[in-house]
Structure formats: structure tokens, C-alpha cells
Amino acid sequence: MTDRESDAGEDGAVTFLNTFTVHAEAGVFEEEFARTSAFMARQPGFVRHTLCRHTEQPGQYVNVAEWRDAASFRAAVSHPDFGPHASALRALSESRPALYEARLRCESGTDRSGAER
């Protein structure tokens, strides 16, 4: 393991992945997700997220969200105002959520050790 690999998860940052199978119209789901997104963006520790739709299966989505740490994420989903957002999304889709910590990062223009190519 290189130094870059071992440092990848040490800052406490976590990534939340949630895959959705949507049973409603895409636009309806995306509008509801945008309301949830606005709520999450106001929570302490939220960094960013990206909602992606499958290129060949339009009812399949994945949300990739970055949080400063697991405690911040857990506080956000435990907030009393989050419940209605979760319920609204559950009414439109089935989801498979999971929280991960980074183990390896690679950026364009560097090799695995982080050195310039």
C-alpha cells in the first residue's frame, strides 16, 4: 500500500452511495430529489453530491454524496426535518443506501502514488 492509499480515509471523510429504482416519472422523482438535495446542502458537514441516471435504464439512479465525516451524515439523516424527504422519495422509488470511507484516490495527471505523470 502506498502512502497515498493509506491516507485516503484518514481525514474522516465519507461517501454515501444510494442507488434508486424509480417507479414514478423521472421528472417527478428528480424534482423531489432536488428538494431533498436542498435540505442536505444546508446540513453541517455536507460537501457535495451528484445524482446520476443510468444511460440505458432510465429508471435507475445513483446518488454519490460526500460528507466531512460519518457523524455529520448521521446527524443530517436523524434531523426531524429529514423524515418527510425520505418518505417522499420512498413513495417514488426503492433505494439501497450505503456509507463508505475512501481507500484510494486517483486524479487525472497522477499515478497511483500521487506523483505527476
Side-chain angles (χ1 to χ4, degrees), residues 3-105:
D3 288 340
R4 183 122 173 124
E5 287 176 275
S6 62
D7 289 345
E10 290 181 7
D11 61 0
V14 293
T15 300
F16 176 68
L17 298 177
N18 199 356
T19 58
F20 296 92
T21 301
V22 176
H23 305 297
E25 291 183 31
V28 172
F29 173 77
E30 291 174 13
E31 287 175 18
E32 189 58 49
F33 194 91
R35 286 188 278 279
T36 303
S37 174
F39 168 80
M40 290 304 216
R42 294 189 302 270
Q43 303 311 302
F46 176 84
V47 177
R48 73 179 63 86
H49 86 85
T50 303
L51 178 66
C52 303
R53 187 170 74 178
H54 196 289
T55 59
E56 296 176 7
Q57 299 172 28
Q60 299 294 314
Y61 288 79
V62 64
N63 179 47
V64 181
E66 296 177 40
W67 287 82
R68 184 179 62 227
D69 52 54
S72 295
F73 169 76
R74 289 188 181 104
V77 297
S78 297
H79 192 288
D81 292 341
F82 177 69
H85 292 286
S87 294
L89 290 173
R90 277 195 296 272
L92 303 171
S93 64
E94 293 177 15
S95 69
R96 291 163 301 287
L99 193 61
Y100 295 86
E101 64 180 21
R103 302 307 300 152
L104 173 65
R105 293 187 198 277

